[in-house]
Amino acid sequence: NIMILFGPPGAGKGSHAPKIVEALGGIPQLSTGDMLRAAVAAGTELGKQAEGVMKSGGLVSDELVVNLIKERIKEKDCAKGFILDGFPRTVEQTKMLDAMLAKAGDKVNFVLALEVPDAVLTERICGRWVHKESGRSYHIKFAPPKSLGKQAPSVTTMLDDETGQPLMQRKDDTEEALKSRLEAYHSQTVPILAHYGPAGIVTKVDANKTPAEVWSAIEKVVGKAP
Ligand code: AP5
Ligand code: ZN
C-alpha cells in the first residue's frame, strides 16, 4: 500500500497524516519536509545544503530528496507500505520513484490530492505553529492549542497539547517564501497529477472546508484505498 498525500503548502497534508496513518493500520508517514528540517536542525551536511533553499521557498535538488526516500523505504516499518507527504515534488522525482518501486515489484497505488485555492493558503501558513519533535501543527485561529487563552499568541502561550513544550513557527512560513513555494507547486508539482492520471489512481478532495469536514471526506476515500 503506497500512497501519495498531495497538495499545496498549507493544504492540510501534515494535519491529516496522523489520522490517515491510523486508518491505514499504522503504515508510516514519510515527509521529506520533516526529514529535511531534522537534517537542518542537526546541522548535517545535507541540512547545510538544504537550509537556504528551504528558507526561501525553493525546491531542494531531486537527487538529494530521492536518496532520502530511497534509504528510508528500506527500513522495516515500510515493508507493508507507506504514505509519502511532500514527495514526489517534480516529474523527475516521480519517475525516479516509479523506477525505484518497480525494481521491488511495487508501484504507487493511490494519490490523494487535497485541493485548496491559493488565496486561502496565506492565512493558513502564516498562522501555523508547530511542535518540532512530533511534527504536530496548530493554527492560531483554526486549530489553537489549549494553552492559547485570550492572550495574543506568543512563544509562551503557544504550547503543545500533549507535551506542554513550546511551539515554533517555520522559517519558510512567511508571505514572501510562500509565493515561491506556490510558484514551485504550480509549475513543478501539479504536473505529477497528469503523470498518475491515466492509471486511475488519483482522487481529489475539496480541502477548502473545516478540518472536520475535510477529514470526513478523506476518511471515506482512504477506506476504499487498495
Ligand atoms: P514541506 O514540509 O513538504 O512543506 P509544504 O509542501 O510547503 O507543505 P506544508 O507543510 O506547508 O503544508 P501541509 O499541507 O502539511 O499543511 P498543514 O497540514 O501543516 O516542504 C518544505 C520545504 O522542504 C519545501 O519548500 C522544499 O524546500 C523542501 N522539500 C520538501 N520536500 C521536497 C521534495 N520532495 N523536493 C524538493 N524539496 C523538498 O496545515 C497548514 C496550517 O493550516 C496549519 O496551521 C493547520 O492547522 C491549518 N489547517 C490545516 N487544515 C485546515 C483547514 N481545513 N482549515 C483551516 N486551517 C487548516
Ligand atoms: Zn507539511
Side-chain angles (χ1 to χ4, degrees):
N1 194 354
I2 298 171
M3 169 174 170
I4 295 175
L5 189 50
F6 191 94
K13 303 182 294 293
S15 300
H16 294 291
K19 286 170 284 179
I20 299 174
V21 165
E22 209 187 308
L24 294 179
I27 61 170
Q29 167 208 9
L30 313 184
S31 157
T32 41
D34 286 349
M35 291 178 200
L36 290 167
R37 279 184 289 278
V40 171
T44 63
E45 200 45 52
L46 167 74
K48 284 178 193 145
Q49 283 179 45
E51 191 170 14
V53 186
M54 290 176 77
K55 197 177 172 201
S56 66
L59 290 179
V60 173
S61 84
D62 292 335
E63 281 69 31
L64 239 155
V65 287
V66 169
N67 277 325
L68 269 182
I69 288 294
K70 196 173 183 177
E71 291 308 309
R72 181 63 182 85
I73 64 179
K74 286 180 189 159
E75 285 172 42
K76 238 186 175 168
D77 64 335
C78 292
K80 286 194 179 144
F82 42 87
I83 300 157
L84 296 166
D85 164 2
F87 178 90
R89 261 313 215 277
T90 64
V91 171
E92 191 55 32
Q93 289 178 23
T94 310
K95 289 180 179 162
M96 293 199 255
L97 170 69
D98 286 351
M100 187 195 304
L101 295 175
K103 267 191 199 160
D106 280 327
K107 59 176 170 22
V108 174
N109 312 104
F110 192 58
V111 180
L112 178 65
L114 303 180
E115 297 191 302
V116 187
D118 285 8
V120 175
L121 298 172
T122 311
E123 193 181 13
R124 285 200 190 176
I125 288 292
C126 296
R128 167 166 57 187
W129 287 72
V130 293
H131 180 237
K132 218 170 169 182
E133 264 157 51
S134 67
R136 271 185 289 278
S137 64
Y138 297 84
H139 192 281
I140 44 167
K141 201 160 138 194
F142 306 126
K146 291 177 191 135
S147 61
L148 181 70
K150 290 201 161 50
Q151 317 93 306
S154 75
V155 280
T156 52
T157 55
M158 303 301 278
L159 304 173
D160 178 47
D161 287 350
E162 279 176 43
T163 63
Q165 289 167 346
L167 304 180
M168 342 213 349
Q169 289 189 287
R170 268 169 52 174
K171 288 208 175 79
D172 60 344
D173 279 353
T174 62
E175 246 182 282
E176 205 194 340
L178 179 61
K179 270 190 200 131
S180 308
R181 289 160 67 192
L182 284 172
E183 248 171 57
Y185 174 74
H186 289 292
S187 65
Q188 307 207 61
T189 308
V190 169
I192 294 172
L193 293 178
H195 172 92
Y196 286 119
I201 56 172
V202 177
T203 298
K204 295 180 178 175
V205 162
D206 178 4
N208 186 19
K209 296 189 171 164
T210 67
E213 288 167 333
V214 176
W215 170 243
S216 107
I218 293 176
E219 200 176 19
K220 278 184 200 124
V221 296
V222 164
K224 285 189 220 132

